[in-house]
Amino acid sequence: MGVAASEGYAIGRLYIHLEKAEITVPRKAQDPDLETSRFLQARERACAELGVLYHRALARVGEHHSSIFKIHLALLQDQDFFLEVRDCIREKGVTAEMAVQEVGQRFFRMFEEMDDDYMKARGADVRDIVSRLLWFLLEAKDQQEIPWLPEGAAGILAVEEIMPSQTIRLDAERVEGVITRTGSRTSHSAILARSLHIPAITGVGEAFDLLKDGSMVILDGFRGKVIQDPDEEVLNLYRQKMEEYQRQQKVLESYKGMRAVTLDGTVVDLCANISHPNDMDEVLDIGADGVGLFRTEFLFMYWGRLPTEEEQFFSYRMVLEQMQGKRVIIRTLDIGADKQVPYLKMEREENPAMGRRSIRFCLENQELFLTQLRALLRAARYGKLSILIPMVVSVEEVQSVRKLLEKAANDLEQEGIPYSKEYEFGVMIETPSAALISDLLAPHVDFFSIGTNDLIQFTIAADRENPHVAALCDAHQPAVRRLIEMTVRNATQAGVRVSVCGEAAADPSMTRFLLSLGVQELSVAPASLLEIRHTIQSMNLSK
Ligand code: PEP
Ligand code: MG
């Protein structure tokens, strides 16, 4: 059993993807000084990570067992190791990666050849720190090889962990389901799996070790259940369930293009969450009432480099034009925590979800932020744009963004580049702070968008990525409901529009609660939209 992260069934051959033992590294380099400084930077980041690991281990297993990390730190900071790497870079004209690998091999053999067992065992430690250094040098932590299935194969993929940047590149035609050891329902990888219609079970924990490569498995994405080597009876049962599910999906198809209206006449704007302009085909096909959340950070992750103003403008404009005058809410860059953009080289932090992420990062990196704001203002001419700011905790942040928007507009004006000031401006209510001061935020904005995923994790103090606290991450918790209620009340009093775009909006058991508070706009993944439309159409709010 694990966490049901993405609905659906899959029956097929299991492919367990293991990390590659060897990492291929580039060989030749032009500039030895640059390579040496790259090595030093990677070493600094590796040391910082080891420091964190040491303190975590110290708290959990005590000094004796955690001292291994101290040994690794000492090896990493060893002056001989550094000098040999530096000389290797200079003398052989190779990259830092190559030098680390070569010198690492030499050190490894040196330990291996020692008589003392304790010293012999240090060889494995050298290997460990070498791969840690290589991960940092290659920016590979989030860019590891995408866990593809073997050429031409289709089936169910089992991986230890899957990053959003890897999930987004999965081939949904061949990957029929995903099982991971870690992860939870509101992790961004799970959200992506749902939008890709790939059934997924995350956080299976130790049960992962029971999986056998090549075995036949059933994946039940509704119950979070994996059945390995099922007998005929169980197989038949699941074949029937699969057929029934497909039939239901067909029924939902009949809701395409309809409006979401309750039996007693409340009209709800049912919008779609997207992470890339490519998602628009499905959005148009089901007939969403708007785009309620465009998570632009995925563009930055997808391209693997900073998208230019022109490229961003083109993507935003495309979505706005395709929606033909319906509202499109584009959220500014919300990177950090599990949404890492390696080439931005953000500093590693112990609690990244509460660190310099999202709007905090953007306000500290104004050039990058201004590029996005300029692209948005230029795109505003092509449709009904709303600009949404993530992770807000204070009025001051909102004022700072407003000022930057003014600056972006003035610059465009002076440069004679066409743009529009016809857009709405809103903030995400996804921190308890924002919900608690929603009355103070309201006068500064046109709308609120409640992000229940982060709101829950920060209210309940339960990491949305951690499967062990997944049960606590529940939108029905009274504390969360109170914050939502307070936000909607403050918005209504101030005449500010309010929508809900977190995963709770896609949970049919939350729909009545949200609508009875007066929420008239929900935004959900396209894969969930028809089901919520069906739920709303079967609901009588006055009852
Ligand atoms: C949320 O936090 O609810 C939200 C919609 O934003 P994200 O899931 O992208 O963090
Ligand atoms: Mg969020």
Side-chain angles (χ1 to χ4, degrees):
M1 296 292 300
V3 178
S6 175
E7 286 76 18
Y9 298 105
I11 302 177
R13 183 197 190 281
L14 184 72
Y15 291 91
I16 301 184
H17 175 88
L18 296 173
E19 298 300 334
K20 268 196 172 169
E22 289 300 321
I23 307 166
T24 35
V25 297
R27 277 201 73 86
K28 286 284 165 211
Q30 308 294 341
D31 182 349
D33 289 340
L34 177 72
E35 293 305 311
T36 309
S37 92
R38 284 183 64 235
F39 167 76
L40 290 172
Q41 272 174 21
R43 189 175 76 166
E44 203 174 302
R45 290 171 70 188
C47 286
E49 190 182 71
L50 278 172
V52 173
L53 285 175
Y54 169 67
H55 287 289
R56 273 201 200 140
L58 194 62
R60 292 184 60 186
V61 295
E63 173 65 32
H64 179 63
H65 292 291
S66 45
S67 58
I68 185 68
F69 295 117
K70 270 194 177 162
I71 295 173
H72 284 196
L73 257 176
L75 285 170
L76 255 180
Q77 288 164 335
D78 183 72
Q79 189 64 2
D80 285 343
F81 184 64
F82 165 65
L83 292 175
E84 290 214 23
V85 169
R86 192 197 57 187
D87 291 348
C88 183
I89 289 173
R90 285 198 187 148
E91 284 156 21
K92 299 192 175 170
V94 294
T95 55
E97 288 89 335
M98 202 62 220
V100 163
Q101 231 179 19
E102 266 199 47
V103 177
Q105 281 285 346
R106 230 179 289 149
F107 272 60
F108 173 70
R109 274 198 299 273
M110 186 181 82
F111 280 113
E112 279 267 298
E113 284 160 11
M114 290 186 182
D115 288 338
D116 184 287
D117 279 351
Y118 176 82
M119 293 310 282
K120 254 193 205 324
R122 301 284 70 84
D125 296 328
V126 171
R127 242 212 257 279
D128 199 326
I129 64 157
V130 164
S131 27
R132 194 178 298 279
L133 275 171
L134 288 176
W135 286 131
F136 282 111
L137 277 168
L138 293 163
E139 294 298 345
K141 280 220 129 162
D142 193 46
Q143 295 278 303
Q144 295 161 27
E145 193 202 4
I146 297 108
W148 302 119
L149 298 177
E151 188 91 3
I156 296 167
L157 184 68
V159 277
E160 290 276 337
E161 180 186 11
I162 190 160
M163 305 281 172
S165 56
Q166 297 171 320
T167 311
I168 205 166
R169 296 191 191 96
L170 286 178
D171 178 355
E173 295 290 313
R174 300 199 292 126
V175 179
E176 294 164 347
V178 175
I179 303 168
T180 62
R181 188 192 289 274
T182 60
S184 70
R185 191 174 161 83
T186 52
S187 66
H188 287 99
S189 287
I191 293 173
L192 288 172
R194 288 197 285 282
S195 68
L196 291 166
H197 298 279
I198 300 178
I201 296 176
T202 59
V204 297
E206 285 172 9
F208 191 89
D209 300 323
L210 303 174
L211 296 172
K212 290 177 298 198
D213 190 59
S215 62
M216 160 69 110
V217 292
I218 295 172
L219 187 155
D220 180 344
F222 294 93
R223 287 169 199 77
K225 193 165 166 179
V226 183
I227 305 167
Q228 188 162 243
D229 298 328
D231 59 28
E232 258 320 289
E233 200 182 332
V234 175
L235 255 179
N236 283 334
L237 182 79
Y238 269 92
R239 284 193 185 118
Q240 280 167 19
K241 277 179 190 258
M242 239 172 135
E243 272 170 30
E244 174 57 27
Y245 178 60
Q246 280 155 3
R247 253 197 307 277
Q248 280 171 8
Q249 292 300 104
K250 284 248 158 61
V251 173
L252 286 182
E253 299 252 310
S254 63
Y255 286 86
K256 280 184 178 173
M258 287 189 177
R259 286 301 314 258
V261 187
T262 63
L263 291 172
D264 49 340
T266 299
V267 182
V268 182
D269 277 337
L270 196 46
C271 304
N273 294 349
I274 63 166
S275 46
H276 196 278
N278 289 349
D279 297 339
M280 288 305 291
D281 286 347
E282 190 175 6
V283 173
L284 295 173
D285 181 47
I286 52 186
D289 298 319
V291 168
L293 173 66
F294 180 175
R295 290 179 163 103
T296 58
E297 53 278 6
F298 286 101
L299 285 182
F300 287 66
M301 290 157 76
Y302 201 83
W303 274 327
R305 61 170 172 78
L306 267 187
T308 62
E309 178 181 319
E310 220 44 47
E311 286 166 333
Q312 292 189 54
F313 164 61
F314 183 74
S315 298
Y316 307 150
R317 172 182 168 171
M318 198 153 82
V319 173
L320 281 156
E321 280 183 337
Q322 283 180 305
M323 285 315 281
Q324 298 183 342
K326 289 183 182 169
R327 180 176 291 122
V328 174
I329 302 181
I330 304 187
R331 184 173 73 181
T332 59
L333 196 55
D334 182 31
I335 46 162
D338 71 323
K339 289 184 282 193
Q340 287 296 326
V341 179
Y343 58 84
L344 286 180
K345 302 193 169 34
M346 287 164 77
E347 212 173 275
R348 295 191 86 71
E349 297 171 300
E350 195 157 348
N351 279 313
M354 294 191 275
R356 290 156 90 188
R357 57 175 283 207
S358 199
I359 191 58
R360 301 169 188 176
F361 175 83
C362 288
L363 289 174
E364 281 181 18
N365 293 275
Q366 294 198 353
E367 205 176 315
L368 174 150
F369 193 33
L370 276 168
T371 305
Q372 180 168 44
L373 297 180
R374 285 168 60 102
L376 285 167
L377 293 180
R378 289 173 59 191
R381 299 172 63 229
Y382 298 90
K384 191 173 179 185
L385 172 69
S386 297
I387 298 176
L388 175 63
I389 313 300
M391 277 295 289
V392 164
V393 295
S394 71
V395 171
E396 288 72 30
E397 285 166 339
V398 177
Q399 288 167 332
S400 302
V401 177
R402 285 279 202 191
K403 276 200 197 116
L404 287 174
L405 271 165
E406 274 303 310
K407 177 174 166 33
N410 287 339
D411 290 351
L412 288 167
E413 182 74 44
Q414 281 181 6
E415 291 163 36
I417 300 173
Y419 70 99
S420 168
K421 279 189 167 178
E422 293 292 308
Y423 60 88
E424 289 192 339
F425 178 81
V427 291
M428 294 279 298
I429 304 289
E430 56 179 345
T431 61
S433 175
L436 291 164
I437 61 161
S438 47
D439 57 333
L440 305 179
L441 289 169
H444 300 273
V445 301
D446 302 307
F447 70 97
F448 287 153
S449 183
I450 302 179
T452 50
N453 307 333
D454 278 313
L455 186 62
I456 296 170
Q457 83 163 341
F458 293 127
T459 304
I460 308 297
D463 182 356
R464 64 193 268 192
E465 301 294 323
N466 183 343
H468 302 293
V469 291
L472 284 172
C473 287
D474 180 358
H476 294 89
Q477 293 250 21
V480 177
R481 290 162 65 118
R482 281 190 187 180
L483 289 178
I484 296 175
E485 208 172 331
M486 178 187 278
T487 304
V488 178
R489 196 175 48 238
N490 286 332
T492 314
Q493 268 170 15
V496 158
R497 271 193 309 116
V498 61
S499 74
V500 179
C501 68
E503 288 306 300
D507 174 356
S509 71
M510 283 293 288
T511 314
R512 177 174 292 278
F513 168 71
L514 295 173
L515 299 196
S516 53
L517 290 180
V519 172
Q520 289 186 351
E521 186 178 323
L522 299 175
S523 192
V524 303
S528 305
L529 197 141
L530 295 177
E531 188 188 4
I532 296 298
R533 193 176 272 163
H534 164 70
T535 307
I536 293 171
Q537 293 204 349
S538 332
M539 189 169 276
N540 188 337
L541 275 185
S542 56
K543 268 198 179 167

